[in-house]
């Protein structure tokens, strides 16, 4: 993960003043379970505090000291006795090493204890509050993708009142819905099962498919765009089911346009920006030519 990607990842999971006020509501059980799952990635860890200083601390000062002696010898004192200087300085080197390690451990401890993201996630799940963003869905179309990742081959699913880790099939249902505000809103549903590497995967049973209702409230961790759940209400949304399986390029472009992960304001979760709306319309036309 590059520095820029890591910075974006941390900003995405930290409250952002650029996100406007939203309706607050008590968490549902599933949303609180997701909040606790997200919080596990931001726990204070003594391993992160201690391992780097204890592994690298004993050797780094010695390496720097020896390199300094070599530079000194090469620049100004070619006949200097390095063994004698190193032996005479051993006690000071040990003391410097211990001080260096202690300072490194203290720095890591204070950094993690004061980290705003860790402090936020330490208390947020127990507060039991989410923020809701409402959408009215007018109509939509269902597309499919098969994108199995062997490095990330499991997913968490809500089952029997708890989150369970299951095998990811790589198959996802994508619903492109038109909202009453005139925007495209993108919803994604992932499915467990056996995986394949082809473009076309195995569709789930009809009763397992996502069938949105017209009133949607997306639940977010307060102050962030991190989605914790979806709340549907009202009549079923008119939905066109297609057997269209997106190509890798189409999937990549849709993932970028959908703003589901690692994005910043003023982008909104699931809402396609104006500059991508024409491309989404062309994708819909390819998937359902009769609906042009």
């Amino acid at each position: 993960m590059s520095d820029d990607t890591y910075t974006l990842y941390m900003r995405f999971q930290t409250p952002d003043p650029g996100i406007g006020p939203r309706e607050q509501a008590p968490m549902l059980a599933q949303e609180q379970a997701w909040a606790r799952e997200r919080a596990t990635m931001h726990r204070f860890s003594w391993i992160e505090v201690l391992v780097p200083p204890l592994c690298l601390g004993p050797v780094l000062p010695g390496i720097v000291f020896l390199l300094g002696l070599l530079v000194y010898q090469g620049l100004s004192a070619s006949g200097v006795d390095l063994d004698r200087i190193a032996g005479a300085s051993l006690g000071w080197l040990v003391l410097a090493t211990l001080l260096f390690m202690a300072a490194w451990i203290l720095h890591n401890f204070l950094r993690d204890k004061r980290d705003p993201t860790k402090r936020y996630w330490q208390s947020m799940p127990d507060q039991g509050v989410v923020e809701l963003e409402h959408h009215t869905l007018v109509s939509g179309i269902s597309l499919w993708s098969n994108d199995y990742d062997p490095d990330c081959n499991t997913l968490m699913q809500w089952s029997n009142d708890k989150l369970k880790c299951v095998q990811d099939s790589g198959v996802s249902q994508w619903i492109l819905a038109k909202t009453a505000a005139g925007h495209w809103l993108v919803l994604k549903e992932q499915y467990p099962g056996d995986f394949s590497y082809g473009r076309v995967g195995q569709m789930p049973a009809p009763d397992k498919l996502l069938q949105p209702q017209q009133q949607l409230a997306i639940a977010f961790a307060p102050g962030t765009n991190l989605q914790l759940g979806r709340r549907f209400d009202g009549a079923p949304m008119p939905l066109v089911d297609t057997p269209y399986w997106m190509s890798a390029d189409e999937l990549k472009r849709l993932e970028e346009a959908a703003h589901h992960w690692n994005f910043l304001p003023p982008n909104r979760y699931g809402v396609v920006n104006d500059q991508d709306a024409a491309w989404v319309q062309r994708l819909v036309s390819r998937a359902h030519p009769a609906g042009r």
Side-chain angles (χ1 to χ4, degrees):
M1 185 180 292
S2 68
D3 290 341
D4 289 344
T5 302
Y6 178 77
T7 300
L8 178 60
Y9 168 80
M10 295 304 295
R11 286 189 62 187
F12 180 67
Q13 307 214 22
T14 305
D16 190 328
I19 298 174
R22 296 184 291 211
E23 175 189 347
Q24 292 194 337
M27 281 182 176
L28 303 180
Q30 181 177 356
E31 294 161 357
Q32 190 162 47
W34 271 112
R36 296 189 189 283
E37 175 67 21
R38 299 297 188 190
T40 60
M41 297 183 289
H42 300 288
R43 288 176 178 168
F44 176 84
S45 171
W46 279 108
I47 293 178
E48 294 180 7
V49 170
L50 295 176
V51 167
L54 293 180
C55 289
L56 301 177
V59 297
L60 287 181
I63 292 174
V64 172
F65 177 67
L66 291 177
L67 289 176
L69 286 180
L70 292 173
V71 171
Y72 173 71
Q73 182 187 47
L75 293 179
S76 59
S78 57
V80 70
D81 187 351
L82 296 184
D83 292 337
R84 182 182 61 81
I85 295 177
S89 305
L90 183 60
W92 289 107
L93 180 59
V94 171
L95 177 61
T97 299
L98 293 176
L99 291 175
F100 173 73
M101 293 172 60
W104 194 351
I105 291 172
L106 179 61
H107 169 269
N108 289 352
F109 175 81
L110 295 177
R111 177 202 63 197
D112 286 1
K113 279 295 185 181
R114 296 173 178 175
D115 182 86
T117 306
K118 291 183 184 296
R119 293 177 64 183
Y120 169 79
W121 285 101
Q122 184 178 5
S123 60
M124 189 278 288
D126 293 330
Q127 293 175 359
V129 175
V130 293
E131 292 181 347
L132 301 179
E133 188 172 285
H134 294 271
H135 299 277
T136 298
L137 309 183
V138 178
S139 62
I141 183 172
S142 177
L143 284 66
W144 296 89
S145 68
N146 188 29
D147 184 34
Y148 178 74
D149 183 356
D151 296 324
C152 185
N153 55 13
T154 60
L155 58 89
M156 302 297 294
Q157 280 206 329
W158 182 253
S159 177
N160 297 324
D161 296 330
K162 62 181 180 180
L163 285 176
K164 293 182 178 179
C165 184
V166 296
Q167 169 72 44
D168 184 12
S169 68
V171 171
S172 297
Q173 179 187 12
W174 295 80
I175 292 181
L176 280 56
K178 269 290 189 178
T179 69
H183 302 297
W184 284 107
L185 182 74
V186 182
L187 303 176
K188 178 184 179 182
E189 187 75 6
Q190 296 174 273
Y191 293 95
D194 297 329
F195 65 88
S196 66
Y197 288 103
R199 172 176 174 176
V200 177
Q202 179 65 44
M203 285 189 184
D207 62 331
K208 301 292 185 182
L209 302 184
L210 178 62
Q211 299 288 343
Q213 295 165 272
Q214 290 184 330
Q215 300 302 319
L216 167 63
I218 303 176
F220 296 97
T224 77
N225 279 313
L226 182 60
Q227 187 238 68
L228 297 177
R230 299 184 299 231
R231 304 181 183 187
F232 288 105
D233 195 13
M237 180 193 73
L239 180 65
V240 176
D241 290 311
T242 76
Y244 187 84
W245 292 84
M246 289 183 285
S247 67
D249 289 340
E250 289 172 332
L251 175 59
K252 181 180 179 181
R253 179 73 183 274
L254 183 59
E255 286 177 332
E256 293 172 352
H259 304 123
H260 283 175
W261 187 252
N262 284 6
F263 65 92
L264 300 175
N267 295 320
R268 297 166 59 199
Y269 180 91
V271 177
V272 176
N273 292 337
D274 292 341
Q275 60 265 32
D276 294 315
W279 179 86
V280 170
Q281 182 61 61
R282 291 194 296 271
L283 175 63
V284 169
S285 298
R286 288 194 295 271
H288 185 53
R292 291 180 182 177

